[in-house]
Amino acid sequence: MLTTVRKLTVTVAALGALALGGSAIAGAADKTASPGTPRPQREALSSSVAAKVKAAALKKVPGATVLRTEAGGPYNSAYHAHIKTSSGAEKVVLVNGSFQATAVQADQGRGGKGRGGPGARGGPGAGEKALTGDTKDKVEAAVLAKYSGATIVRTETNGDSAAPYESHIKTSAGKELEVLVSKDFKVLDAREHPAHP
C-alpha cells in the first residue's frame, strides 16, 4: 500500500513538474513570438541611422526637405525617406543597407495616386521587376543623358517587346514619361502619361 502511495505521489509530482515546465516554455515562446515585438524595431531608426538615411536622401535630391525616415521600403530596400523637393513635390527616396540612395519614387501616400494611378503601368503585378546594380545605373545614366534635369521615379524591366528596360521619369518641364531603353543602354522611345495632379 505504501509503495502504491509513493508511486502515485512521484507520478503526480512528475506531472506537475512537466506542466510547470511546459507553461514556462509556452510563456517564453509567447514573449519571443509576440506579433508586436519586431514591428517597432523595424520602424524606429536610431538617430545615427536616421541621420545617414537623411544624408543619402539629400545627396540624391539636393535642396529637398526630409519629412521622415523609416526602415524597409519597396523592392526590399533597407530604408526609405519621405521628402519634399524644392518644387514642392512629395517623393520617397529608397536607401540600401550601405546608405546609398538607389531610387526616387512618387510618394504613394498622395491620395492613392502614384504607382496605381493613370499611366503608372509597370507597378506590382505587371510582370515587371525593379532593376538593381550595374544594369539600373546604366539605364538611368542613358535616360538622364537624354532628359537632363529629370527625376527618376522608378526603373524596371519592360513588360512588352518594345525594349527590355524602362524608366519612369518626370521631366524638368513636369511631363511624366516612360522611357524605353535597349539592351545596349540606348534610349529608343518615350511614352507620355497624363501628369498626376
Side-chain angles (χ1 to χ4, degrees):
M1 180 83 169
L2 263 170
T3 310
T4 308
V5 170
R6 240 184 235 152
K7 281 183 182 172
L8 190 56
T9 306
V10 169
T11 305
V12 169
L15 287 172
L18 281 172
L20 281 172
S23 67
I25 290 167
D30 281 349
K31 282 180 190 159
T32 54
S34 170
T37 305
R39 258 192 108 103
Q41 292 173 345
R42 283 187 61 215
E43 291 177 357
L45 298 181
S46 70
S47 57
S48 62
V49 170
K52 289 177 183 176
V53 173
K54 182 177 179 179
L58 292 175
K59 185 176 179 184
K60 185 81 170 172
V61 189
T65 302
V66 176
L67 305 174
R68 67 185 184 276
T69 57
E70 296 174 346
Y75 306 126
N76 297 317
S77 289
Y79 311 103
H80 65 278
H82 292 263
I83 64 165
K84 188 174 266 193
T85 66
S86 53
S87 64
E90 291 193 10
K91 303 280 184 189
V92 175
V93 181
L94 307 185
V95 178
N96 66 19
S98 303
F99 301 104
Q100 294 172 327
T102 57
V104 180
Q105 300 184 333
D107 193 332
Q108 307 296 318
R110 285 183 312 162
K113 301 237 161 94
R115 189 176 281 269
R121 196 180 72 62
E128 297 175 343
K129 293 181 182 173
L131 292 180
T132 58
D134 198 39
T135 303
K136 176 180 179 290
D137 292 343
K138 287 180 178 176
V139 169
E140 292 184 352
V143 170
L144 291 175
K146 177 89 173 172
Y147 298 96
S148 180
T151 300
I152 292 180
V153 176
R154 67 182 188 273
T155 304
E156 56 207 1
T157 59
N158 184 23
D160 59 43
S161 59
Y165 311 119
E166 67 184 38
S167 194
H168 292 256
I169 66 167
K170 190 164 199 172
T171 68
S172 52
K175 286 184 179 178
E176 293 193 12
L177 301 179
E178 176 188 322
V179 184
L180 304 181
V181 179
S182 69
K183 206 180 226 178
D184 55 351
F185 308 108
K186 291 188 175 139
V187 173
L188 299 175
D189 194 12
R191 301 166 179 163
E192 187 172 351
H193 292 298
H196 299 140

